[in-house]
C-alpha cells in the first residue's frame, strides 16, 4: 500500500488520507511531459511506479524512480519558480499529482 511503503515514516495515516484526497492518481499509457524547462511549476508529483527522466540545459539527465517527488521545492518554498529541467514520465508510469495552489490552500486550512 502507498502509505506503508512511502509515507508511514513521515506522517500519520489521517494526514496522508487528506493528502491523497487532494491529489489525483494517474496511470500513463504513453510517454508524457510533466514539466517543461522554463515553465512555472503548477503541480507536484510523486512517482509510485515506473520512471521519469529530468533533462537539464547542460545535456545531463537524472532518472527518477518510485518514491521520488517532482516539484516539491515549489511547494515547500511557497512560490512557484520556473522549472530548471524538463521532466518526462515513461509509458506505464503511475504517479500522484497535486495542483500546487490547491495543496497550499489545504496546508493553510488544515496544518498538520
Amino acid at each position: 500500500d502507498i502509505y506503508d511503503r512511502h509515507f508511514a515514516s513521515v506522517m500519520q495515516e489521517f494526514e496522508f488520507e487528506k493528502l491523497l484526497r487532494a491529489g489525483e492518481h494517474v496511470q500513463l499509457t504513453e510517454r508524457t511531459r510533466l514539466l517543461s524547462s522554463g515553465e512555472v511549476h503548477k503541480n507536484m508529483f510523486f512517482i509510485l511506479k515506473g520512471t521519469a527522466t529530468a533533462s537539464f540545459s547542460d545535456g545531463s539527465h537524472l532518472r527518477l524512480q518510485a518514491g521520488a517527488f517532482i516539484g516539491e521545492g515549489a511547494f515547500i518554498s511557497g512560490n512557484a519558480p520556473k522549472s530548471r529541467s524538463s521532466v518526462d514520465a515513461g509509458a506505464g508510469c503511475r504517479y500522484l499529482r497535486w495542483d500546487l495552489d490547491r495543496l497550499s490552500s489545504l496546508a493553510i486550512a488544515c496544518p498538520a
Side-chain angles (χ1 to χ4, degrees):
D1 135 275
I2 298 167
Y3 173 73
D4 291 332
R5 269 194 313 248
H6 302 291
F7 293 92
S9 66
V10 295
M11 65 177 53
Q12 298 294 315
E13 194 164 0
F14 78 92
E15 295 169 316
F16 172 72
E17 289 170 4
K18 278 195 291 188
L19 184 65
L20 198 57
R21 283 192 304 272
E24 177 184 10
H25 193 124
V26 178
Q27 171 80 48
L28 296 179
T29 56
E30 61 186 32
R31 184 178 178 91
T32 301
R33 173 132 315 162
L34 303 181
L35 291 172
S36 293
S37 182
E39 289 186 0
V40 173
H41 283 263
K42 295 179 182 169
N43 296 293
M44 182 174 77
F45 305 88
F46 182 78
I47 299 175
L48 297 168
K49 181 180 177 188
T51 62
T53 303
S55 303
F56 298 91
S57 60
D58 66 0
S60 64
H61 302 279
L62 177 63
R63 186 179 176 117
L64 305 167
Q65 299 184 8
F69 274 103
I70 302 165
E72 76 281 10
F75 174 67
I76 292 168
S77 70
N79 65 19
K82 292 184 178 180
S83 179
R84 295 182 318 222
S85 66
S86 293
V87 179
D88 296 299
C93 185
R94 254 184 346 135
Y95 59 86
L96 296 171
R97 175 178 56 208
W98 295 273
D99 174 272
L100 285 175
D101 289 336
R102 182 171 182 210
L103 195 57
S104 294
S105 296
L106 177 67
I108 292 167
C110 304

